[in-house]
Amino acid sequence: MPKISKLAVLTSGGDAPGMNPCIRSVVRTAIYNGLDVTGIRRGYQGLIDGDMYQMETRSVSNILNLGGTILKTARCLAFRTDEGMELAYQNIKKHQIDAMVVIGGDGTFTGALRFSQKYPDVAVIGVPGTIDNDLYGSTYTVGFDTATNTVIQAIDKIRDTADAHDRLFFIEVMGRDSGAIALRAGISCGAEAILLPEKETAIDDLIENLKNGQRKKKSSSIVIVAEGDKHGGAYDIAKIVEKEVKNYDIKVTILGHLQRGGSPSAFDRVLGSRLGFAAVNALIAGESQKMVGLEANHIKLTGLEEALTQHQFKLEEDLMQMAEILSI
Ligand code: F6P
């Protein structure tokens, strides 16, 4: 088992609330175990540019409550090239780093896997940090819980005004190809319909459902549209529906990037801390090319390749059915 002495940590891709508690956990667990820790700024871009600094116990004081990431993040195209990876490797060698914890989503893990296959002398462990909740091997990703709570607070407010004006709202939420946020938010807010990428909804059925609501004298209706839905965005769907559903004032809200910000929930602070702790312990135990996740409340290691190839959010059909029944 190769012994590690210097570990680097970075956040990459879209930020997610809970990344800071995770960074704090990585730094302090590493220091507790006698390792040196280097923080890389702006993800893989910082690795290529050599933008890094030594982290101490106090470098991560009072960050548990902060959204975003103190290390900053980026989507780095250069890291997809052989030249970019070589520059990153040279910086790693120059700073005598022998292991990395990368916190991010599927793009981050794709980079980490390619890099560690090319340069296997640098051990890499991934922590799932994305609001999309779409990585195989962890029931929850860091940031999903906070983002969903942010979404439901916004939708509750929209419900107030929708109800006051007897309006129909189409609300678009993030998640890329994943309907995880849309489904949880739809159940939590009693949405009349939830449109997800994982399940094609016939537009005719949606129209019938909304007309039914009108017949039953529903004062307002809310349709949640996951951004990856096959019919297009909330504006496209609203345009189709308004031709058929009369006497309903239709409005569209795109929640956008506010979903990624804000102080992490207790759940995400604990999840980030647990996964950061587990990532460092996995590296000390000699693991590499794995993702740490949480399943049935236990830490689990999954190969990065497996986490990526099966990475889609698995739609819980029973939850979808329940949401439909409860919104009659
Ligand atoms: O992966 C997180 C995420 O917020 C997705 O839900 C969304 O599709 C994407 O990132 C937006 O990315 P960007 O902030 O780069 O526009």
Side-chain angles (χ1 to χ4, degrees), residues 135-146:
L135 284 159
Y136 176 80
S138 195
T139 313
Y140 296 107
T141 56
V142 175
F144 168 65
D145 181 68
T146 308

Side-chain angles (χ1 to χ4, degrees), residues 127-267:
V127 176
T130 165
I131 64 166
D132 300 341
N133 206 36
D134 59 352
L135 284 159
Y136 176 80
S138 195
T139 313
Y140 296 107
T141 56
V142 175
F144 168 65
D145 181 68
T146 308
T148 310
N149 279 303
T150 303
V151 167
I152 70 173
Q153 281 166 18
I155 297 178
D156 286 348
K157 292 188 172 102
I158 292 172
R159 178 70 86 175
D160 290 346
T161 175
D163 195 55
H165 284 266
D166 297 334
R167 281 176 170 161
L168 161 60
F169 269 82
F170 289 86
I171 303 173
E172 186 176 305
V173 300
M174 273 187 174
R176 207 182 287 277
D177 301 327
S178 156
I181 293 178
L183 178 58
R184 283 291 192 289
I187 294 169
S188 305
C189 298
E192 275 60 34
I194 310 167
L195 304 191
L196 306 169
E198 294 84 3
K199 186 177 185 195
E200 198 152 332
T201 308
I203 290 286
D204 290 349
D205 292 347
L206 172 66
I207 290 168
E208 201 35 51
N209 172 358
L210 293 169
K211 282 183 177 166
N212 245 329
Q214 280 186 314
R215 281 194 283 272
K216 286 192 247 161
K217 308 246 175 303
K218 277 199 176 221
S219 57
S220 62
S221 285
I222 284 184
V223 177
I224 298 186
V225 183
E227 66 177 346
D229 181 72
K230 310 278 185 300
H231 297 292
Y235 276 108
D236 301 314
I237 295 165
K239 262 192 208 129
I240 306 172
V241 171
E242 75 184 349
K243 291 191 193 115
E244 303 293 331
V245 181
K246 307 288 176 201
N247 308 322
Y248 231 156
D249 191 5
I250 296 182
K251 298 281 173 187
V252 175
T253 303
I254 314 278
L255 291 182
H257 284 80
L258 72 82
Q259 295 165 90
R260 286 227 300 254
S263 183
S265 63
F267 184 89

Side-chain angles (χ1 to χ4, degrees), residues 62-191:
N62 303 326
I63 64 167
L64 280 166
N65 57 325
L66 302 180
T69 155
I70 59 158
L71 289 176
K72 299 200 172 272
T73 185
R75 299 195 190 278
C76 176
L77 292 178
F79 196 68
R80 295 188 193 168
T81 65
D82 287 343
E83 300 73 36
M85 284 211 181
E86 181 55 33
L87 283 173
Y89 183 67
Q90 280 167 16
N91 278 326
I92 284 179
K93 288 285 120 182
K94 191 166 122 195
H95 291 89
Q96 294 166 331
I97 292 163
D98 34 37
M100 281 203 295
V101 175
V102 298
I103 308 165
D106 55 346
T108 305
F109 289 179
T110 306
L113 181 62
R114 273 202 60 216
F115 184 80
S116 58
Q117 283 168 341
K118 217 164 147 46
Y119 306 106
D121 53 322
V122 185
V124 181
I125 293 288
V127 176
T130 165
I131 64 166
D132 300 341
N133 206 36
D134 59 352
L135 284 159
Y136 176 80
S138 195
T139 313
Y140 296 107
T141 56
V142 175
F144 168 65
D145 181 68
T146 308
T148 310
N149 279 303
T150 303
V151 167
I152 70 173
Q153 281 166 18
I155 297 178
D156 286 348
K157 292 188 172 102
I158 292 172
R159 178 70 86 175
D160 290 346
T161 175
D163 195 55
H165 284 266
D166 297 334
R167 281 176 170 161
L168 161 60
F169 269 82
F170 289 86
I171 303 173
E172 186 176 305
V173 300
M174 273 187 174
R176 207 182 287 277
D177 301 327
S178 156
I181 293 178
L183 178 58
R184 283 291 192 289
I187 294 169
S188 305
C189 298

